[in-house]
Amino acid sequence: MVSFDRLFSGRMGLGQAATQHALETQHEDMIVRTVKQRQTGEIHDAQYDYYGKRLATCSSDRSIRIFDVDGESHRLVETLKGHEGPVWQISWAHPKFGCILASCSYDGKVFVWREQNGQWSRIKEHTSHTASVNSVAWAPHELGPLLACASSDGRVSILSFKDDGSWDTALLDAHAIGCNSVGWAPATVPGSLTSQGPNSGKGPITKRFSSGGCDNLVKIWAYREDTKTWKEEETLEGHTDWVRDVAWAPNIGLPKNYLASCSQDKTVLIWTQDTPSSPWQKKALRDEKFADVVWRVSWSLSGNILAVSCGDNKITLWKENLSGEWECVSEMEEKNMAGGN
Amino acid sequence: MSTGIPLIQPSNTALTFNATAAKRSIFSAPTVDLNLTHGMVHDMDRDQNDEEYVAVLHLDPSPIKKDVSADSWAKTNRTLRSTFRPTTNEIAVYVAGRKAAEEFPTKQKSSVEDNTIFLCQAAIPKSRIPFIEQTFKVFLDIASKNPYKAGGTSDYKHHLERYNKAIEEHLAHLYVESKTNDTLEIEQETTLMESFSAVWQLAEAVFLKSDRNQPIAFMFNEWLATHDTSQDQELGKTLLADSSKLTHPDFWSYIRRCLLRGMIESVIFILEQTLNDEEDEQVARALEDLVRVLKDIPSSEKTFPPGEFHSRHMNWKEECKKFTQSKHVKHLGKGAKDVMKVLSCEAEEIIDVSDCWEEAVSGTFLFVHPDCERENIGRQILETCLPPFLESTDVTLLDRIKIAILQMDDVKTVRLCGEFHPWLVAHLSTVLQQYGYLDMSAIDLQDIATQGWDSNIHDFFVISYAQSLMSNLSLWEIVAGYLIRCGHTGRSTLSEWICHVPLNSSEKAHKVLKFCEENDLKDSLRSINRVMAVEEEKRGEYAQAIQHFIVSKDLDRVAKVVDNLVLGYLEHGQFDLDDTLASIEALDTTSTHVQFLRSYAGFHRDYKNCKLAKAGETLVKLLSNGTAPKKYWIVLLLDALPLLENKQQVIFDSSDTFVLMQSLEELVGSQYKSEYLQLLPQSSSGSTSTVEEAQLDVLRLSLTRNLARSFVHPPHRPDEDILMA
């Protein structure tokens, strides 16, 4: 057990001293088992569902595991198999669409899984990509059941689930060498919540997502209602090596768009945009580079805490202070590092 | 020897707690270095060094084995990653593969640690829940006041007392709990609450006291006695019990600390006890003189006419000077030297013999500037007292907060409290702002404010506190209660967050929905209703599903549920939806599907109750007035068969029969015929088209026969249908 610092306004580690417990996923490499050797089964992604009651993990062992998580108790409820390569990422759909999970894999496929009456089944196999699919993300629920997939073949595909049970697919040439990540923009325009009230029901809806690629670029894509097509809206230059992850902050009363990107170049950039038509401004999360590749950026639900996963085995939590500066409020690292290993 | 005389001058609070456990100080200044890497700030005025305040947490047990270096571990395709848990801001940390195993040149063995996810939960101690609930109520009460009209002294006193009471009750509970359950959690919680208490009461004394005539010097001494009990009570008891007190090595240092902390009565008591035992006349005389001097000290607690207290104090200083310079003093021994420094009433001397900055401030207040006004604390006291300690000792964040309060720097106080704990800053700023002691607009938020941030800083702090409570979902109503009072930002946050609150029971769902309704959270209401409807539909609770889909304005989903119901009927041949309809009929809806369902259910009810004419009339209406979607027409026509074939009574007259025939022809003559006839019952054998045609032929024949009958025996429409056997 360790102390867990509060993430909010204070930082003294008192009071909110919290707990940490472990959950063993039991992922293992299916192929290697056949030769009776234990092989790597590294987890590549872990995602909570909408209510935080279920945790899905995916791994190099080609499986997806789903756990019920309630306080300190957790129970493996399902193992989904079918991918023929490491499963890179998973994404839960909004519960209004049912209990639906998407997964993408090194095998170039995207699967959409659905649970009904306690039984999981694969309801869609998306095989349009010709190389590893590295990232999947469901759109905000206001936009309907839309799934974005990013692939090493350089393309991003957008799957839309139609009422009759069929799927439409749009394929976009996104990043020539390969695409590593996709992330959706919040459906509501920044500032609209504050200017019109959160429940006016009149806030404009935007249909945008971002992608990060091996061309060191972050791209913003927007849907044009007039032509019914996705268009590249903006190319954001700032990284000097592969962009590993992009994450759009949830828009909960925030006055502007916040987009975080992290890269092989050991930096995290925070991109901000006041309105959908304003220019993007970039700002490094911190002045100096991180110690290693930054693999993942993830926002809290309230959009004011950013978790940064760096290759130096540290997870750092960042928060924008009252003056608009980003400050690291907490670090998590494995125990032995403290001993100087 | 009497043991009834207090060795310290405890406040009522301390007595109430009866917290005399030797191992824990009652109100010791809490340390905040629980996280090993917390840095200390050595300059009270310098901006905080962010790096130094980063808390480092370690995953335990480590995912890296002890005999493996982090570097070599990382080279085996491993790294750490994390993901946020929605709703609660908790974090899951796991060992992740950097690349696909297939891409990696050598296969690596996996371990249990590789498959372990560390669920880091910002759990709130259970013991704190009543405190959270209690202080939320006070917050609600304050928030309901108009900030510009509330200002009455009695109001704020009342609220401050309620906050104090909440802290005290929680502390009392913790002290009791610690006797049987001395865990780290209890210890940390106690430390936290003691900090809250210390900051809260100091802020109250400096910022909020309505009785400005009460000298701050006296109040600070009171506060110090209550909140910093580093003065060892046990030592006091030991000294009292000692028959040779003056020779005890700690006697004079104990006296010195008591004097600096304003515990004059305790000093006088112990000196008198010493005097009683003293046989040496010269020593006794010196002690007598010392006691006399101490008894003559003008009490800063009393109120004097303007200027009188100052002149009394100056006279007393002279008296002290004479005493400290008298030849008798040397008989008290070398140990008394520091006490004489205190009684010199010189700030430098007092600082020189003080162990900590609070002691120096207290001593300077008492012996140098007892009539110091609050506004002059910084200039008269702090400027002199603090530098030596800031140079030589570590100053914690809690120290900086206390100093900011003494400086009467409200903005700095709030900023630093914001660094310390979200509860403290949220509630202290609420009180200070609400009663006009704090101008929140003075706090710099320019970067955000210029971008249209439509909230004030106070909201920012309260939202932060509410977010810190999110990890405990049983507190959702409190979280929501705070957020809803934080302007647009709070509402927006709440609007999204409340949708993530798990609806574990119908009671909870009802509560959440009611909250959304009452607070006009329309988007949330829609979203929650929609999710509930999906779940209900999955469970086959169609009535509830329709009800919630209607509220969420998902009329297409209503249509789907109705489809399911009709399909269920076709499959099972039963249409018993009384409960469903009872709920649906209460809804005011324009959904044609619901209207159809109502009428269709009415048809079945009438048919079941042998009101055949009425049932027939309903069917015809459904077909003729457009209520029934066309895909259901074939179902309605098949439902008409038993009525058409009724031997005792002609149900449909000729015009009704024409409507039925026309409807049938519209289906079979349409280019969408196959689609319209999809709901025809399928046969398990034979080709679909053959079965379909056979059923249509039956229908046609029946319609034709009924048409003939209707001409011969036009139906009469009695009030009541004939009851069929």
Side-chain angles (χ1 to χ4, degrees):
Chain A
M1 305 289 274
V2 294
S3 289
F4 181 54
D5 186 48
R6 289 164 307 91
L7 305 175
F8 307 96
S9 61
R11 291 186 247 152
M12 300 317 295
L14 283 165
Q16 207 86 11
T19 60
Q20 161 201 302
H21 60 275
L23 180 158
E24 287 180 21
T25 61
Q26 297 162 7
H27 276 292
E28 54 192 353
D29 192 303
M30 286 164 20
I31 292 177
V32 177
R33 268 175 72 93
T34 58
V35 292
K36 299 188 189 236
Q37 287 178 41
R38 292 202 63 166
Q39 294 287 339
T40 49
E42 297 95 348
I43 299 165
H44 291 298
D45 194 21
Q47 292 293 333
Y48 284 103
D49 74 349
Y50 186 80
Y51 295 111
K53 291 168 76 177
R54 281 188 164 181
L55 180 72
T57 63
C58 61
S59 149
S60 266
D61 72 1
R62 304 168 182 203
S63 73
I64 298 152
R65 286 173 192 263
I66 296 164
F67 299 86
D68 276 343
V69 182
D70 182 15
E72 290 194 13
S73 67
H74 31 73
R75 184 174 63 91
L76 176 67
V77 290
E78 189 64 62
T79 303
L80 305 176
K81 292 179 179 176
H83 279 297
E84 293 163 346
V87 188
W88 287 129
Q89 212 172 61
I90 41 190
S91 177
W92 291 94
H94 188 278
K96 83 177 189 189
F97 304 119
C99 187
I100 289 175
L101 184 72
S103 61
C104 63
S105 162
Y106 184 73
D107 63 11
K109 292 176 187 168
V110 174
F111 290 162
V112 179
W113 311 81
R114 181 171 64 188
E115 185 209 27
Q116 256 187 330
N117 304 320
Q119 297 296 313
W120 284 87
S121 60
R122 202 154 68 208
I123 57 169
K124 171 70 179 170
E125 290 185 26
H126 174 47
T127 55
S128 303
H129 289 288
T130 55
S132 170
V133 183
N134 303 315
S135 178
V136 279
W138 288 99
H141 69 92
E142 294 92 334
L143 308 183
L146 290 180
L147 181 69
C149 320
S151 167
S152 291
D153 65 9
R155 294 183 297 175
V156 168
S157 56
I158 306 294
L159 301 182
S160 51
F161 183 68
K162 297 201 294 186
D163 280 348
D164 62 2
S166 65
W167 296 76
D168 269 351
T169 307
L171 279 168
L172 314 171
D173 289 321
H175 301 268
I177 318 170
C179 187
N180 294 323
S181 176
V182 278
W184 287 88
T188 47
V189 172
S192 63
L193 296 178
T194 52
S195 58
Q196 299 183 28
N199 290 290
S200 63
K202 295 173 187 171
I205 297 287
T206 58
K207 215 168 178 178
R208 296 199 293 174
F209 69 89
S210 58
S211 60
C214 303
D215 53 5
N216 312 343
L217 299 174
V218 173
K219 290 187 177 180
I220 310 294
W221 303 81
Y223 188 72
R224 285 183 52 176
E225 290 294 344
D226 52 349
T227 59
K228 306 285 181 202
T229 53
W230 290 94
K231 281 280 178 194
E232 184 183 319
E233 188 183 73
E234 198 91 42
T235 299
L236 306 179
E237 295 181 31
H239 288 294
T240 56
D241 207 337
W242 290 16
V243 177
R244 279 291 174 187
D245 197 13
V246 284
W248 223 301
N251 176 23
I252 300 181
L254 299 175
K256 52 190 172 186
N257 272 303
Y258 285 77
L259 174 68
S261 63
C262 63
S263 162
Q264 199 91 12
D265 66 9
K266 304 178 183 177
T267 66
V268 173
L269 296 178
I270 304 293
W271 307 84
T272 53
Q273 186 191 37
D274 295 340
T275 68
S277 55
S278 310
W280 286 89
Q281 310 286 334
K282 74 170 176 240
K283 183 175 190 175
L285 189 66
R286 64 182 216 181
D287 295 336
E288 67 275 30
K289 285 190 173 184
F290 281 80
D292 201 348
V293 176
V294 186
W295 292 95
R296 188 64 65 87
V297 278
S298 156
W299 294 94
S300 66
L301 176 73
S302 47
N304 60 356
I305 302 166
L306 179 70
V308 175
S309 307
C310 180
D312 64 352
N313 308 320
K314 281 184 185 172
I315 312 293
T316 45
L317 304 180
W318 298 78
K319 196 177 178 202
E320 192 176 25
N321 67 18
L322 289 172
S323 306
E325 297 296 324
W326 289 91
E327 56 186 21
C328 180
V329 291
S330 190
E331 279 184 10
M332 266 172 274
E333 61 187 24
E334 52 78 29
K335 190 184 177 190
N336 292 346
M337 284 189 77
N341 274 330
Chain B
M1 180 185 297
S2 166
T3 54
I5 302 296
L7 294 171
I8 59 167
Q9 294 165 339
S11 71
N12 291 336
T13 328
L15 285 173
T16 306
F17 292 154
N18 191 26
T20 53
K23 62 184 291 190
R24 173 179 295 134
S25 61
I26 303 172
F27 286 110
S28 62
T31 55
V32 288
D33 54 352
L34 294 177
N35 286 308
L36 299 176
T37 50
H38 277 153
M40 298 298 178
V41 176
H42 296 275
D43 180 351
M44 72 171 185
D45 287 323
R46 99 176 193 210
D47 285 338
Q48 70 206 45
N49 183 325
D50 293 330
E51 289 297 323
E52 287 183 304
Y53 276 108
V54 174
V56 179
L57 313 162
H58 298 115
L59 302 177
D60 187 10
S62 170
I64 303 178
K65 288 180 177 157
K66 279 186 179 172
D67 52 348
V68 179
S69 75
D71 282 346
S72 59
W73 181 80
K75 283 176 187 163
T76 59
N77 195 28
R78 292 176 173 93
T79 186
L80 288 181
R81 283 192 198 159
S82 67
T83 188
F84 269 108
R85 186 179 200 172
T87 314
T88 60
N89 281 327
E90 293 158 4
I91 293 173
V93 180
Y94 53 96
V95 176
R98 291 169 182 242
K99 297 177 180 176
E102 280 80 347
E103 286 183 27
F104 218 68
T106 51
K107 297 278 185 186
Q108 306 295 327
K109 285 184 180 177
S110 69
S111 62
V112 173
E113 290 81 7
D114 290 337
N115 282 302
T116 301
I117 294 195
F118 295 87
L119 305 175
C120 304
Q121 300 181 315
I124 296 167
K126 269 186 190 170
S127 63
R128 198 188 299 165
I129 304 296
F131 170 77
I132 289 169
E133 291 168 342
Q134 217 174 331
T135 52
F136 173 62
K137 285 179 191 163
V138 189
F139 171 85
L140 285 187
D141 201 18
I142 298 179
S144 67
K145 309 277 181 195
N146 182 327
Y148 302 103
K149 289 181 182 170
T153 307
S154 58
D155 257 0
Y156 91 69
K157 272 193 170 172
H158 168 65
H159 289 133
L160 288 174
E161 276 165 17
R162 285 175 67 189
Y163 274 123
N164 275 324
K165 191 174 169 227
I167 297 172
E168 286 168 12
E169 282 180 3
H170 186 31
L171 266 174
H173 169 78
L174 290 167
Y175 291 139
V176 171
E177 185 73 11
S178 65
K179 286 178 183 166
T180 53
N181 185 17
D182 200 4
T183 61
L184 179 64
E185 181 185 302
I186 298 284
E187 194 178 324
Q188 288 184 345
E189 185 69 1
T190 306
T191 304
L192 181 73
M193 283 299 137
E194 287 174 347
S195 307
F196 284 179
S197 180
V199 171
W200 195 267
Q201 291 187 10
L202 187 61
E204 184 182 343
V206 175
F207 289 121
L208 294 163
K209 271 289 176 206
S210 62
D211 185 5
R212 285 286 177 144
N213 292 327
Q214 196 160 26
I216 187 63
F218 169 73
M219 295 181 74
F220 184 81
N221 289 141
E222 269 277 285
W223 173 85
L224 189 62
T226 306
H227 296 285
D228 179 7
T229 52
S230 53
Q231 178 68 307
D232 189 352
Q233 298 174 67
E234 293 303 312
L235 176 60
K237 286 179 185 171
T238 307
L239 290 174
L240 275 178
D242 197 325
S243 58
S244 179
K245 298 178 183 60
L246 276 180
T247 56
H248 194 287
D250 294 325
F251 179 82
W252 286 111
S253 63
Y254 182 80
I255 296 293
R256 168 182 54 84
R257 286 199 301 274
C258 284
L259 282 178
L260 286 170
R261 288 159 182 268
M263 294 152 58
I264 309 294
E265 287 176 30
S266 298
V267 173
I268 291 171
F269 179 77
I270 202 166
L271 287 176
E272 285 177 340
Q273 296 293 313
T274 310
L275 188 58
N276 290 342
D277 299 336
E278 189 52 57
E279 291 173 354
D280 187 317
E281 278 186 16
Q282 286 177 316
V283 174
R285 184 166 176 194
L287 283 172
E288 264 177 13
D289 286 350
L290 177 56
V291 169
R292 180 180 47 77
V293 166
L294 292 176
K295 280 184 173 174
D296 284 350
I297 188 169
S299 169
S300 58
E301 189 181 358
K302 290 177 186 168
T303 307
F304 294 96
E308 188 176 329
F309 180 76
H310 182 72
S311 64
R312 279 177 179 240
H313 181 71
M314 295 307 288
N315 292 338
W316 183 75
K317 273 171 85 170
E318 281 302 313
E319 200 181 329
C320 279
K321 201 172 174 183
K322 281 181 196 165
F323 169 72
T324 55
Q325 290 172 356
S326 72
K327 59 183 181 183
H328 305 300
V329 170
K330 66 179 180 195
H331 299 297
L332 295 176
K334 285 181 185 172
K337 193 178 166 189
D338 286 349
V339 170
M340 296 311 126
K341 281 189 174 183
V342 175
L343 293 177
S344 73
C345 300
E346 297 294 335
E348 292 74 15
E349 298 287 319
I350 288 170
I351 292 164
D352 188 44
V353 295
S354 297
D355 292 335
C356 60
W357 71 265
E358 287 107 323
E359 222 170 65
V361 168
S362 172
T364 310
F365 261 136
L366 271 179
F367 300 107
V368 186
H369 298 293
D371 52 352
C372 178
E373 300 284 338
R374 284 167 173 76
E375 291 73 15
N376 298 328
I377 298 173
R379 189 175 52 82
Q380 290 187 334
I381 310 284
L382 300 181
E383 277 181 18
T384 318
C385 293
L386 295 183
F389 295 96
L390 298 181
E391 283 164 13
S392 60
T393 57
D394 293 330
V395 179
T396 64
L397 178 60
L398 190 61
D399 286 325
R400 296 176 70 208
I401 293 172
K402 292 173 192 169
I403 291 167
I405 293 171
L406 288 170
Q407 288 170 324
M408 290 197 82
D409 189 336
D410 48 3
V411 172
K412 195 174 181 182
T413 300
V414 166
R415 269 189 177 277
L416 293 172
C417 286
E419 294 293 325
F420 189 75
H421 197 278
W423 181 90
L424 187 61
V425 71
H427 293 88
L428 187 60
S429 64
T430 296
V431 171
L432 290 177
Q433 177 178 261
Q434 204 73 350
Y435 291 108
Y437 292 92
L438 176 65
D439 179 8
M440 279 291 186
S441 63
I443 299 181
D444 189 13
L445 191 65
Q446 72 277 16
D447 288 18
I448 297 173
T450 52
Q451 300 295 336
W453 184 268
D454 195 18
S455 289
N456 64 31
I457 310 286
H458 173 249
D459 288 346
F460 178 90
F461 291 134
V462 176
I463 290 170
S464 289
Y465 175 56
Q467 287 174 338
S468 76
L469 300 179
M470 287 176 179
S471 60
N472 188 328
L473 286 170
S474 69
L475 298 173
W476 74 266
E477 285 170 281
I478 290 178
V479 173
Y482 279 112
L483 291 177
I484 200 74
R485 286 163 181 82
C486 291
H488 286 311
T489 311
R491 281 184 74 86
S492 305
T493 306
L494 176 60
S495 179
E496 176 63 30
W497 178 78
I498 202 163
C499 296
H500 290 262
V501 172
L503 308 172
N504 301 326
S505 64
S506 57
E507 191 190 358
K508 186 170 180 187
H510 178 72
K511 267 188 169 181
V512 173
L513 288 175
K514 193 172 169 215
F515 181 90
C516 293
E517 269 172 26
E518 286 173 355
N519 292 284
D520 204 27
L521 296 170
K522 288 178 189 153
D523 289 348
S524 312
L525 203 57
R526 276 189 66 182
S527 183
I528 295 168
N529 271 296
R530 185 179 294 136
V531 172
M532 286 174 73
V534 168
E535 289 298 315
E536 286 154 357
E537 188 184 0
K538 268 203 297 195
R539 294 195 296 266
E541 296 165 2
Y542 295 115
Q544 290 90 331
I546 289 174
Q547 205 167 358
H548 287 124
F549 274 136
I550 287 170
V551 178
S552 70
K553 298 186 171 57
D554 284 306
L555 297 185
D556 55 332
R557 299 300 294 265
V558 172
K560 277 191 174 175
V561 178
V562 172
D563 280 352
N564 283 338
L565 283 168
V566 176
L567 288 172
Y569 159 63
L570 292 175
E571 197 175 322
H572 306 296
Q574 288 180 339
F575 200 90
D576 189 7
L577 287 174
D578 285 347
D579 289 343
T580 306
L581 290 163
S583 314
I584 293 171
E585 278 168 9
L587 293 169
D588 179 21
T589 175
T590 54
S591 164
T592 53
H593 279 81
V594 174
Q595 286 169 6
F596 161 71
L597 195 62
R598 277 178 185 157
S599 301
Y600 190 47
F603 158 75
H604 279 275
R605 194 165 48 235
D606 290 337
Y607 183 79
K608 194 174 160 187
N609 295 332
C610 299
K611 296 177 180 175
L612 301 184
K614 200 175 171 197
E617 191 182 341
T618 305
L619 268 192
V620 172
K621 271 189 190 168
L622 279 169
L623 287 165
S624 59
N625 66 8
T627 307
K630 216 170 225 177
K631 64 180 175 185
Y632 296 137
W633 282 15
I634 191 65
V635 178
L636 299 181
L637 290 167
L638 290 176
D639 284 337
L641 268 176
L643 301 178
L644 292 167
E645 293 298 325
N646 190 293
K647 304 294 180 201
Q648 281 85 10
Q649 181 190 4
V650 176
I651 308 292
F652 299 107
D653 64 14
S654 56
S655 64
D656 289 344
T657 316
F658 277 129
V659 170
L660 298 177
M661 294 173 94
Q662 195 179 359
S663 301
L664 179 61
E665 281 314 300
E666 207 172 319
L667 296 183
V668 296
S670 167
Q671 58 176 325
Y672 304 113
K673 177 187 170 186
S674 58
E675 193 181 314
Y676 292 150
L677 299 181
Q678 257 183 0
L679 295 179
L680 265 181
Q682 303 293 313
S683 169
S684 56
S685 61
S687 72
T688 307
S689 60
T690 312
V691 174
E692 195 177 277
E693 283 307 319
Q695 290 180 90
L696 292 175
D697 285 345
V698 169
L699 200 50
R700 285 191 189 104
L701 182 65
S702 193
L703 284 167
T704 312
R705 198 155 47 211
N706 189 77
L707 185 61
R709 286 173 67 204
S710 69
F711 286 133
V712 179
H713 304 290
H716 65 285
R717 298 281 161 88
D719 289 340
E720 291 295 327
D721 285 289
I722 300 163
L723 286 173
M724 303 301 295

